Amino acid sequence: MIHDGLRVVVLTTRLSGAYGAKLLADLGADVVTWEPAGGDPQRADGLDGDFHAYLHTSQRSITGDPAPWI
């Protein structure tokens, strides 16, 4: 893939960041999405279910300190 070996740590909780991360994951990047302690706010905004799963396919999700992943 185009971005094999590239790690992207997503620190935003905005929809635009989730979509950008999805595009990079689709191109082969290792995408790690940070979620605040209460979980991804997008889930509370009605993006849970199929759309949330679509945006976060092929990504890992972490909580806590994202520094070890950077």
Side-chain angles (χ1 to χ4, degrees), residues 21-49:
K22 182 220 177 318
L23 294 176
L24 290 168
D26 288 348
L27 292 172
D30 174 24
V31 178
V32 179
T33 302
W34 170 80
E35 291 191 31
D40 190 339
Q42 294 173 8
R43 296 176 206 251
D45 290 341
L47 295 181
D48 205 5

Side-chain angles (χ1 to χ4, degrees), residues 48-60:
D48 205 5
D50 294 338
F51 189 58
H52 188 271
Y54 168 76
L55 288 175
H56 294 89
T57 299
S58 303
Q59 299 178 30
R60 291 183 278 172

